[in-house]
Amino acid sequence: MLRPKVPTNPMPTGLVTPPAVIEPTTVVQHPKAPAPVPVAPAPARPTVQITPGAVVALVGGGTAVVLVVGAVLVSMLLAVAITAASLAICALVIRSLINADAKRR
């Protein structure tokens, strides 16, 4: 019922397409172009000159990034600590309620 049917390839009919006719082409010689003029090589690395103002800007930007990332990480740590403390308090309250209910019976 659920057997796959594998398609079979039909037998060749004997009809073959004729090969394409290949015509020879002639080679045309063009006059040679003049040799390119060598260009002076560019320096491997451009020299970067850092001004005192750029140094101050880099130090200020780096300090700002460090302070922002530190504030975000500390706030995330504080959020995890507050969540853990509240879950611990909830667990103590639930355990207390269960023990109190068991003593009444």
Side-chain angles (χ1 to χ4, degrees):
M1 178 177 160
L2 296 175
R3 289 189 178 179
K5 294 182 180 179
V6 180
T8 57
N9 292 333
M11 296 297 292
T13 58
L15 298 175
V16 180
T17 58
V21 177
I22 300 174
E23 295 181 11
T25 58
T26 59
V27 177
V28 178
Q29 294 285 339
H30 293 288
K32 289 188 175 183
V37 179
V39 180
R45 284 194 274 167
T47 58
V48 178
Q49 295 180 356
I50 300 177
T51 62
V55 171
V56 170
L58 286 174
V59 169
T63 304
V65 168
V66 167
L67 289 176
V68 168
V69 170
V72 169
L73 291 177
V74 167
S75 64
M76 289 173 60
L77 180 64
L78 185 61
V80 169
I82 291 172
T83 304
S86 65
L87 284 175
I89 292 172
C90 288
L92 288 175
V93 169
I94 291 173
R95 188 176 73 175
S96 166
L97 291 174
I98 290 173
N99 286 341
D101 188 38
K103 287 182 182 178
R104 284 188 210 158
R105 292 184 183 183

